[in-house]
């Protein structure tokens, strides 16, 4: 299986306003569960404008919510998750944070 470090910026991947989530740790756990479930809607939350930084690709230009969801859906589709660990949680400014995840997966249909 592969292991990748995936930097995900909380303000871009989860709701920028963390008041709906009590803590950045809870927002990180929510993102982890959404990723494991291949739930791009849950990952994007209510964000209306996102920049995605997907491993192996240049950061996107700002995307609308629907376009970001579709891009994530296509990225997640060929993978079977084997594990996902939260490796870094850091507040970068009030209401915004940085979360780094380490992903273990295989390409669907392979071992």
């Amino acid at each position: 299986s592969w292991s990748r470090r995936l930097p995900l910026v909380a303000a871009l991947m989860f709701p920028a306003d963390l008041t709906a989530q009590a803590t950045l740790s809870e927002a990180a756990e929510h993102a982890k569960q959404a990723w494991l479930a291949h739930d791009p809607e849950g990952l994007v939350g209510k964000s209306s404008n996102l920049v995605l930084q997907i491993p192996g690709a240049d950061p996107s230009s700002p995307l609308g919510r629907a376009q970001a969801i579709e891009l994530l859906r296509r990225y997640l589709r060929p993978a079977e998750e084997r594990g996902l660990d939260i490796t870094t949680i850091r507040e970068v400014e009030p209401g915004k944070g940085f979360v780094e995840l380490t992903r273990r997966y295989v390409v669907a249909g392979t071992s």
Side-chain angles (χ1 to χ4, degrees):
S1 69
W2 293 90
S3 180
R4 287 225 165 133
R5 294 170 64 84
L6 302 173
L8 302 175
V9 179
L12 302 177
M13 297 297 293
F14 331 131
D17 179 6
L18 294 178
T19 57
Q21 312 225 2
T23 67
L24 183 55
S25 294
E26 289 175 6
E29 185 61 34
H30 172 80
K32 175 183 174 180
Q33 295 309 316
W35 190 282
L36 286 171
H38 286 198
D39 175 14
E41 291 91 348
L43 197 57
V44 168
K46 296 179 192 239
S47 298
S48 59
N49 199 16
L50 299 99
V51 174
L52 298 180
Q53 187 173 351
I54 294 175
D58 292 330
S60 71
S61 299
L63 303 172
R65 186 175 186 278
Q67 190 176 9
I69 288 169
E70 183 56 30
L71 184 61
L72 284 167
R73 182 174 285 119
R74 288 179 187 185
Y75 179 75
L76 293 169
R77 185 178 300 138
E80 292 179 13
E81 305 302 326
R82 297 292 192 238
L84 190 66
D85 299 312
I86 299 170
T87 51
T88 303
I89 299 175
R90 177 174 69 245
E91 187 172 29
V92 294
E93 62 183 72
K96 294 182 182 180
F98 176 85
V99 175
E100 185 174 65
L101 305 170
T102 300
R103 179 186 189 206
R104 290 174 306 286
Y105 69 99
V106 296
V107 175
T110 69
S111 57

